[in-house]
């Protein structure tokens, strides 16, 4: 198949965009994580305050978004590897993309309680 087949069509374009966006989001999370972890050496009291904010329901929703970004980026990355290194990959890239989306949805549904359970109990009570 000709070069550029990986991102042919609307689905391919959106998978390309989503892969880049999730990569940037993960990068910014890692940047903030390094900064807040470094804060423990500068001011342990401020570090404790920052960590306390991480236990809020809003941050739990952000964590769920982080899980979504990491899972999609990882699964789509495996698809990109398959397209690049498997001789039949370009032919099946669209089916693999929909498989990635299906697996991602199932995993995200499975992550609802572990990631958001504490936040839901805090908002709605035990």
């Amino acid at each position: 198949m000709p070069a550029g087949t990986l991102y042919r069509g609307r689905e391919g374009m959106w998978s390309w965009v989503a892969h880049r966006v999730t990569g940037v989001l993960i990068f910014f999370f890692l940047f903030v994580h390094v900064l807040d972890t470094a804060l423990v050496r500068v001011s342990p009291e401020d570090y404790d305050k920052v960590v306390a904010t991480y236990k809020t329901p809003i941050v739990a929703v952000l964590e769920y978004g982080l899980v979504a970004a990491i899972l999609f980026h990882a699964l789509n990355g495996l698809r990109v590897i398959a397209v690049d290194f498997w001789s039949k990959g370009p032919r099946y890239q669209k089916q693999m993309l929909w498989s990635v989306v299906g697996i991602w949805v199932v995993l995200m549904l499975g992550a609802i309680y572990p990631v958001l359970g504490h936040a839901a109990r805090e908002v709605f009570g035990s």
Side-chain angles (χ1 to χ4, degrees):
M1 297 199 134
T5 314
L6 175 60
Y7 299 114
R8 184 165 296 189
R10 182 173 289 137
E11 298 90 358
M13 179 190 68
W14 285 114
S15 72
W16 183 88
V17 169
H19 198 74
R20 271 51 182 187
V21 168
T22 57
V24 169
L25 291 173
I26 294 165
F27 171 79
F28 281 120
F29 162 76
L30 291 173
F31 181 73
V32 170
H33 179 63
V34 168
L35 287 178
D36 72 7
T37 303
L39 189 60
V40 75
R41 302 205 25 74
V42 176
S43 174
E45 299 82 24
D46 288 337
Y47 173 78
D48 291 339
K49 290 176 188 174
V50 168
V51 169
T53 65
Y54 292 163
K55 298 175 183 176
T56 63
I58 292 170
V59 174
V61 172
L62 293 174
E63 283 179 343
Y64 189 72
L66 177 63
V67 170
I70 291 170
L71 274 176
F72 179 82
H73 194 80
L75 293 170
N76 193 53
L78 292 173
R79 181 187 73 85
V80 170
I81 290 169
V83 170
D84 286 347
F85 293 105
W86 179 36
S87 62
K88 295 181 183 178
R91 184 178 315 155
Y92 296 109
Q93 68 90 19
K94 192 171 185 177
Q95 293 89 335
M96 288 189 290
L97 174 61
W98 288 111
S99 297
V100 162
V101 170
I103 293 167
W104 179 80
V105 166
V106 168
L107 291 174
M108 289 308 298
L109 289 172
I112 289 174
Y113 183 75
V115 178
L116 295 176
H118 171 72
R121 285 188 298 279
E122 192 167 316
V123 172
F124 300 113
S126 301

